[in-house]
Amino acid sequence: MSIKFRMLVGAMALALTGGVYAAGEHGGHHGSGGNGAGEPGDASDVSRTVEVVMYDNYYEPENISVESGETVRFKVWNDGALVHEFNIGSAEMHEAHQQEMQMMVEHGVLKGDHIDHDMMNMDMGDGHSMKHDDPNSVLLEPGESAEIIWTFTEASDLEFACNVPGHYQAGMYGDIEFK
Amino acid sequence: MMLRLPLAVACFSLALASPATTWAAPSDGGHNAHRHTVNSFWGVSLEEFEYRYSDSDDEVAVWDGDAFFGSDELKFRWIFSGEWEEAHDAFESLENQFVVQTPISDFFDAKAGVRIDTPEGPDRVYGVLGINGLAPYWFEVDSNLYVSDEGDASIDLDAEYELLLTNRLILSASLDVLVALSSDREIGLGKGLSSTETGLRLGYDLIDRSFSPYLGIVHERKYGDTADIARTSGGSKEDWFAVVGARLMF
Amino acid sequence: MGKYWSSLILALALPVWGQAEEYNLSVDRVMIDTGGFVKEGIGYNGASPGPVLRFKEGEEVTINVTNNLDEMTSIHWHGLILPFEQDGVPGISFPGIPPGETFTYRFPVVQNGTYWYHSHSGFQEPAGAYGAIIIDAEGREPYRYDREYVVQLTDKHPHSGDRILRNLKMSADYYNRQQQTVGDFWRESSEQGFLATLRDRMMWGDMRMMKADIEDVQGFTGLINGKGPEQNWTGTFEPGDRVRLRFINSSAMTYFDVRIPGLKMTVVQADGNNVQPVTVDEFRIGVAETYDVIVHIRDAKAFTLFAESMGRSGYARGTLAPEEGMTAEVPELREAPLLTMADMAGHMDHGDMDHSSMEGMDHSDMEGMDHSSMESMDHSSMEGMDHSAMESQGNPDPFYAPGSGLVPAAANGGKFLSYADLKAQKPLYEEREPTREIELRLTGNMERYIWSINGIKYEDAEPIRLQYGERVRFKFVNETMMTHPMHLHGMWSILDVGEGKWNPIKHVISVAPATTVYMETEVDAPGEWAFHCHLAYHHAAGMFRKIIVEGGPDESVKSLTKAAEAQDGGES
């Protein structure tokens, strides 16, 4: 199942149940459905490392060039005072994910400057939780860092973005350009 | 000699009501550009400015208004009213009151001062003590005790209610009652309930609230001794008027 | 050669290193054309609003203000942190600028964001003496946007300020054309029954209070950047742009509910201080507040920027469009709200209205609060009011009395910004316990149009004395039926929204009827400051205090304070 599809299901379930988080937990692997974002990469395929620093509501750098088929290791630091996300996807994927993140804020999982991991992992009653462990993203508290290894399978319109509510809208996104 | 007492009352209340800090004329020569707060105001209004046509074909010009200058704490107010009868080319009544006015509660003010009546016929000077304000249910009320230089006392009570047909088309009902505590036959006043004037005026606020033309009816009635005195001098006990005029406020 | 290079380097470095920028402003009589009427007013450099002043954080600015009027004037730099002698309040910071003279303001710019400037003399600000200030951050802006516009709102009235206040003093409802009529009575009777409606009217009549008493001064034309609804101020964009709109409410009296149908707005700044971005459909901007929002516009079409007054008696309108001349549908004004008994509660029962449960902003606590506070009211006279509405809704916005008629709702049913949504992007101060609390009851007599603090008007009041270095917790208790935007000069107002160190940093705190709101202030600016309700006619009627900050690191301040006192003494 592709990320996009799962997110769509998530968004639909969200709309249907009026508030039960239904996606977000990562079950299998991604990328086979040709959604264009790419797929989790293998460490052995990494051609280079790109360092990304997250500040309060912007990234440095704001532009990253990749080649089709390239596998990149992203080292991501959160140098801000707030929780931020680094998420690779299309504008539509980000939009869908933003609704999930909104739920996390409404349920108190995501506070301004920290993540309530206990609550995030809590079973919400139907086998679902608010876990944030999709391989195309990391969600970091201030001071934290993480890595993502990602293979850009094909050229498409991609952005890296922070989907903490309001952050993307305020301009916390960067462009991924295919050479 | 009787005049002195009410004047003294008026001056006394003026002194009481005037804390040094609050009564201050504009300190910068009249324009407000250099103050944080504005402490003195003025205003002129004519509640009634109208022509009355009676059921016995009399025509009367009537006005009732006031002008004030002062602060929240103390105002000087000149209250003026009169009735000019067309047939006799004479003032049936002509009153000027000069009062100081100060708040005594959230909605009421006390007034004290002097009233000078100079109509056709004998003149009178009165000391005035009164209250006016807004009673519950939006009744504007004004009540005064008058003591004349002849030693006669009377009380009047005016009440007015405005009914908003729309926010500009306003029906106002008014009732003025005069009660004499002693009779003053020379000016046609008998002891007891002396006279009432009831009015119903339909006005339209044409320019803000500064010019509101109206049409209405007014009923005047005299009672008891006052009615008898009026009859002996050839007047009527009861009159109906159609009125046309405007309410003015500047 | 070496000299050449060093001077070149110096020249390049200067703009970064706090260069002294110089600005000139003249205060002039101007004609203001709203599209509906033309009126003489006051402006800067020949226009109203005045020019947008663009400062850079870290620079020292010099502003020469030449008074071309025949009366005293002044300019207050609203929201700017500066030495008190530069704050521009006649009689407190300085004597004012006499006709024909030039006064030179000089101060370092120590902040960034959206602010504004206006005359602090008489009613010059309602007459048009206002303009916008943008201060660019020293580093990069923490947001990304492709273009930006100032959206400066005002409520231009055909009457002069002096005349408006005089009329209000003569008749407090002079400008209120939204009063309940006989027609409303019958309409309500048919819906709620004759007796219930009669009881309702009797109850309000008994108190001599009006449900429709929301906007004191109606009859204005809403302007955006000086343009009336018909003149349609337009900001252009390229499809795909993120546009930053810097909203400033420079109205004399009017709160606006702002929306752009078809676009979501992400609020990124309030009163010049960045906030954690929050996306909304609509927001209410109090008098003298500023909000910066970012809108992401994907479609190549026009969008109406619609700012309805809180009491729905007027509106401002502009357009965002790919090119000038395009327009979008202008919405109808929504129905005017009416105050409820909940908005009256502060007026009716002062003592019991300590909304202490707001302290922690615990929403569940608020439920209990309306009942306890209402208990002390006369229930027999409350029959007419709609209890169900008060209870079923829960508490949509803790900054309004539960059941208040003023609680805003977005036109599209979406998200309406609340003060509770505002969280500082970056705490400005270390969080610490306040050293003391000062209670300020916002008081007044509507019928007499008297406005005061703790029941005392400015001219009768002692100044509030604060000690340099303390952190004061101000408790605003609104005992009136009006909403008051309280503005403290010189020091930040940290609004308590229950978020601790993330509490937003503002310069205007709007206090709704019958509510208690707390703010904390780090007393870090010596000198004398003004503190007042920013509604022009409330301020002029007495809702104003002088704040004296005693002590402080700078000895020279004391002598200046004395000089100002002598000046002030000469005034009154």
Side-chain angles (χ1 to χ4, degrees):
Chain A
M1 196 165 36
S2 73
I3 297 180
K4 195 174 179 182
F5 180 62
R6 284 185 64 256
M7 282 188 168
L8 257 172
V9 169
M12 277 162 61
L14 199 117
L16 285 172
T17 58
V20 179
Y21 189 79
E25 187 164 11
H26 176 223
H29 69 274
H30 299 267
S32 53
N35 63 72
E39 59 189 23
D42 201 72
S44 58
D45 298 333
V46 168
S47 58
R48 63 193 171 103
T49 298
V50 174
E51 297 186 351
V52 178
V53 186
M54 307 197 288
Y55 296 98
D56 286 328
N57 295 322
Y58 60 95
Y59 293 103
E60 269 183 22
E62 283 182 332
N63 274 292
I64 296 170
S65 292
V66 297
E67 276 179 63
S68 185
E70 188 183 12
T71 298
V72 179
R73 181 198 309 270
F74 292 97
K75 288 184 87 167
V76 184
W77 277 274
N78 183 355
D79 242 16
L82 306 171
V83 171
H84 292 296
E85 187 195 32
F86 176 82
N87 184 320
I88 299 165
S90 64
E92 296 74 41
M93 289 163 68
H94 290 313
E95 203 164 311
H97 188 41
Q98 278 154 28
Q99 297 179 28
E100 299 171 335
M101 298 283 271
Q102 182 65 44
M103 295 286 296
M104 294 172 75
V105 170
E106 281 163 13
H107 284 82
V109 172
L110 193 55
K111 304 265 171 48
D113 58 347
H114 72 273
I115 304 159
D116 189 331
H117 289 280
D118 289 346
M119 196 183 274
M120 191 159 76
N121 295 327
M122 210 155 64
D123 188 338
M124 294 190 67
D126 50 1
H128 298 294
S129 77
M130 287 198 242
K131 266 182 200 155
H132 187 279
D133 57 359
D134 295 301
N136 62 327
S137 76
V138 288
L139 185 65
L140 302 178
E141 288 185 0
E144 288 184 337
S145 64
E147 276 188 15
I148 290 182
I149 295 170
W150 194 255
T151 304
F152 295 91
T153 47
E154 56 187 288
S156 64
D157 271 345
L158 293 183
E159 292 171 335
F160 55 100
C162 172
N163 294 307
V164 173
H167 291 202
Y168 179 79
Q169 288 77 7
M172 188 158 183
Y173 69 98
D175 300 308
I176 295 175
E177 286 163 16
F178 283 84
K179 281 182 231 171
Chain B
M1 200 180 85
M2 291 301 284
L3 172 63
R4 286 201 182 132
L5 176 65
L7 272 181
V9 169
C11 293
F12 179 61
S13 56
L14 172 74
L16 274 181
S18 178
T21 49
T22 53
W23 175 243
S27 56
D28 59 352
H31 57 82
N32 291 326
H34 199 49
R35 295 195 303 268
H36 306 300
T37 58
V38 185
N39 305 330
S40 57
F41 308 91
W42 60 273
V44 180
S45 74
L46 277 146
E47 285 282 297
E48 292 169 14
F49 187 65
E50 66 195 24
Y51 215 72
R52 297 183 179 178
Y53 305 86
S54 83
D55 53 348
S56 49
D57 288 338
D58 287 334
E59 291 178 25
V60 190
V62 176
W63 62 95
D64 184 359
D66 70 279
F68 77 91
F69 175 78
S71 66
D72 293 330
E73 291 75 20
L74 187 70
K75 290 180 182 71
F76 290 100
R77 199 178 281 274
W78 169 34
I79 303 162
F80 47 88
S81 66
E83 293 174 308
W84 178 81
E85 252 183 307
E86 211 252 336
H88 305 107
D89 190 12
F91 291 107
E92 194 182 320
S93 73
L94 186 62
E95 290 183 26
N96 285 285
Q97 283 188 41
F98 301 92
V99 297
V100 293
Q101 184 179 334
T102 190
I104 49 169
S105 76
D106 278 356
F107 294 99
F108 282 91
D109 283 358
K111 310 182 281 188
V114 59
R115 165 180 152 195
I116 302 160
D117 284 12
T118 52
E120 191 77 8
D123 294 351
R124 286 288 180 274
V125 177
Y126 302 85
V128 185
L129 276 175
I131 59 163
N132 72 336
L134 186 66
Y137 313 111
W138 305 105
F139 286 95
E140 287 273 1
V141 297
D142 185 315
S143 184
N144 300 282
L145 167 69
Y146 302 104
V147 180
S148 77
D149 52 347
E150 300 289 319
D152 298 307
S154 55
I155 292 171
D156 72 0
L157 170 71
D158 297 357
E160 194 194 310
Y161 185 80
E162 289 189 345
L163 193 64
L164 273 63
L165 300 179
T166 73
N167 263 286
R168 286 182 180 272
L169 186 65
I170 297 168
L171 184 68
S172 64
S174 64
L175 171 68
D176 300 357
V177 180
L178 180 63
V179 177
L181 301 179
S182 55
S183 65
D184 186 349
R185 300 191 77 84
E186 218 188 339
I187 57 166
L189 205 60
K191 188 177 172 182
L193 174 60
S194 163
S195 62
T196 57
E197 183 183 307
T198 314
L200 207 56
R201 293 174 179 80
L202 181 65
Y204 187 81
D205 289 351
L206 204 59
I207 305 168
D208 300 317
R209 292 187 202 271
S210 50
F211 179 61
S212 312
Y214 60 77
L215 292 168
I217 49 167
V218 168
H219 175 239
E220 275 184 10
R221 193 175 161 183
K222 296 183 173 69
Y223 302 85
D225 285 355
T226 308
D228 294 342
I229 298 165
R231 252 196 305 274
T232 14
S233 59
S236 60
K237 176 185 154 188
E238 191 173 357
D239 287 298
W240 286 91
F241 298 91
V243 306
V244 56
R247 185 185 280 231
L248 306 168
M249 185 147 113
F250 307 103
Chain C
M1 191 65 185
K3 222 174 211 174
Y4 171 75
W5 278 113
S6 61
S7 61
L8 184 67
I9 287 161
L10 196 69
L12 285 171
L14 263 178
V16 191
W17 284 49
Q19 183 186 354
E21 281 291 335
E22 194 154 333
Y23 302 83
N24 295 303
L25 286 177
S26 61
V27 190
D28 306 310
R29 292 260 164 220
V30 298
M31 295 308 288
I32 295 171
D33 179 3
T34 68
F37 60 89
V38 179
K39 183 165 174 62
E40 196 194 59
I42 297 172
Y44 296 109
N45 294 357
S48 171
V52 175
L53 298 180
R54 191 143 203 153
F55 300 157
K56 176 96 183 156
E57 185 177 19
E59 74 179 354
E60 170 135 348
V61 291
T62 301
I63 309 155
N64 305 305
V65 179
T66 302
N67 182 2
N68 293 333
L69 309 176
D70 56 4
E71 60 187 40
M72 297 285 279
T73 194
S74 58
I75 296 183
H76 167 59
W77 316 99
H78 186 110
L80 266 57
I81 299 301
L82 35 64
F84 85 97
E85 318 89 285
Q86 304 297 319
D87 195 46
V89 181
I92 292 185
S93 357
F94 78 143
I97 311 170
E101 291 192 12
T102 296
F103 182 86
T104 299
Y105 289 90
R106 193 173 285 120
F107 52 86
V109 178
V110 298
Q111 63 205 106
N112 63 68
T114 304
Y115 302 91
W116 62 299
Y117 61 96
H118 59 85
S119 167
H120 221 284
S121 301
F123 298 118
Q124 292 176 357
E125 178 216 299
Y130 66 92
I133 298 173
I134 297 174
I135 307 175
D136 290 314
E138 225 166 354
R140 64 156 281 172
E141 289 286 336
Y143 310 116
R144 279 179 83 180
Y145 46 91
D146 304 287
R147 59 184 75 211
E148 63 175 344
Y149 292 105
V150 166
V151 182
Q152 197 161 19
L153 297 158
T154 197
D155 53 353
K156 188 62 198 164
H157 203 280
H159 290 177
S160 75
D162 281 320
R163 184 165 164 210
I164 288 172
L165 184 59
R166 211 165 60 71
N167 283 336
L168 289 168
K169 285 281 184 183
M170 279 196 284
S171 171
D173 66 348
Y174 191 97
Y175 293 102
N176 192 341
R177 298 292 183 182
Q178 293 182 327
Q179 299 180 38
Q180 289 185 298
T181 62
V182 174
D184 294 329
F185 183 89
W186 292 119
R187 206 168 308 123
E188 224 174 290
S189 289
S190 66
E191 285 163 13
Q192 287 162 25
F194 175 80
L195 280 176
T197 310
L198 184 65
R199 266 198 299 265
D200 172 79
R201 294 299 192 275
M202 295 285 278
M203 186 165 62
W204 286 82
D206 184 30
M207 298 178 299
R208 289 152 283 187
M209 293 282 164
M210 286 193 296
K211 285 185 184 182
D213 193 2
I214 293 169
E215 280 170 2
D216 293 355
V217 183
Q218 298 169 13
F220 58 86
T221 299
L223 306 184
I224 290 178
N225 298 336
K227 293 202 166 151
E230 298 310 311
Q231 296 164 327
N232 190 25
W233 174 85
T234 300
T236 55
F237 64 87
E238 296 275 340
D241 276 357
R242 281 180 168 78
V243 182
R244 178 179 188 163
L245 301 170
R246 298 173 182 265
F247 286 93
I248 305 167
N249 187 356
S250 300
S251 294
M253 293 297 283
T254 307
Y255 279 52
F256 285 103
D257 291 347
V258 179
R259 68 185 197 267
I260 308 173
L263 293 178
K264 293 212 177 270
M265 300 178 282
T266 300
V267 178
V268 296
Q269 194 181 88
D271 289 5
N273 291 286
N274 292 331
V275 293
Q276 296 177 26
V278 51
T279 303
V280 301
D281 294 280
E282 192 168 344
F283 65 91
R284 176 167 291 175
I285 184 166
V287 170
E289 289 186 318
T290 75
Y291 286 100
D292 286 30
V293 309
I294 293 176
V295 291
H296 189 177
I297 318 179
R298 295 177 177 88
D299 303 324
K301 60 171 195 162
F303 295 89
T304 295
L305 203 163
F306 196 58
E308 273 173 290
S309 73
M310 177 166 75
R312 309 288 184 252
S313 74
Y315 66 95
R317 170 251 187 163
T319 300
L320 297 175
E323 51 195 284
E324 288 273 350
M326 290 175 73
T327 58
E329 191 194 339
V330 180
E332 295 282 310
L333 280 172
R334 283 170 285 180
E335 202 182 328
L338 291 171
L339 297 174
T340 66
M341 274 296 148
D343 297 302
M344 278 296 307
H347 177 84
M348 289 174 65
D349 196 338
H350 308 161
D352 291 357
M353 283 308 288
D354 180 0
H355 293 199
S356 54
S357 51
M358 281 185 74
E359 208 154 350
M361 275 306 150
D362 185 342
H363 293 218
S364 59
D365 277 358
M366 303 290 285
E367 203 59 54
M369 156 185 157
D370 59 25
H371 300 296
S372 60
S373 57
M374 300 302 263
E375 226 121 63
S376 53
M377 293 169 45
D378 184 0
H379 276 269
S380 59
S381 67
M382 282 175 57
E383 224 96 297
M385 78 191 265
D386 189 358
H387 279 274
S388 59
M390 280 185 63
E391 280 155 28
S392 64
Q393 277 199 337
N395 196 39
D397 188 332
F399 283 87
Y400 293 87
S404 164
L406 294 173
V407 181
N412 65 355
K415 168 79 180 159
F416 201 108
L417 182 75
S418 161
Y419 266 3
D421 297 319
L422 298 177
K423 297 176 190 85
Q425 167 92 292
K426 191 173 279 178
L428 194 60
Y429 298 99
E430 287 284 310
E431 207 197 357
R432 60 165 174 152
E433 281 297 303
T435 47
R436 64 173 160 142
E437 181 174 297
I438 296 177
E439 179 173 302
L440 298 172
R441 292 180 298 113
L442 310 180
T443 45
N445 180 325
M446 186 61 204
E447 221 19 64
R448 298 183 185 280
Y449 213 77
I450 294 172
W451 299 101
S452 54
I453 293 172
N454 293 338
I456 303 167
K457 295 193 293 180
Y458 175 65
E459 65 258 35
D460 304 328
E462 284 297 310
I464 297 170
R465 289 174 190 278
L466 305 179
Q467 299 304 314
Y468 182 88
E470 65 178 338
R471 181 183 174 110
V472 175
R473 185 171 173 85
F474 287 100
K475 176 184 183 182
F476 293 115
V477 183
N478 189 348
E479 293 180 358
T480 75
M481 294 177 65
M482 308 292 301
T483 310
H484 302 288
M486 300 303 295
H487 173 45
L488 171 62
H489 290 221
M491 291 163 281
W492 291 114
S493 298
I494 306 167
L495 171 65
D496 188 350
V497 299
E499 292 288 334
K501 68 173 177 174
W502 302 108
N503 280 335
I505 302 143
K506 297 185 90 267
H507 50 58
V508 170
I509 305 288
S510 178
V511 188
T515 63
T516 296
V517 174
Y518 295 88
M519 74 168 198
E520 291 182 11
T521 292
E522 287 284 352
V523 182
D524 55 3
E528 304 201 350
W529 304 98
F531 186 25
H532 58 93
C533 174
H534 217 286
L535 300 182
Y537 307 104
H538 289 193
H539 155 177
M543 200 177 251
F544 192 111
R545 280 293 185 278
K546 178 155 88 175
I547 297 245
I548 299 177
V549 176
E550 293 173 337
D554 188 355
E555 269 305 299
S556 69
V557 164
K558 277 184 190 158
S559 56
L560 283 166
T561 307
K562 281 194 189 104
E565 252 166 21
Q567 178 62 44
D568 200 40
E571 288 289 306
S572 50

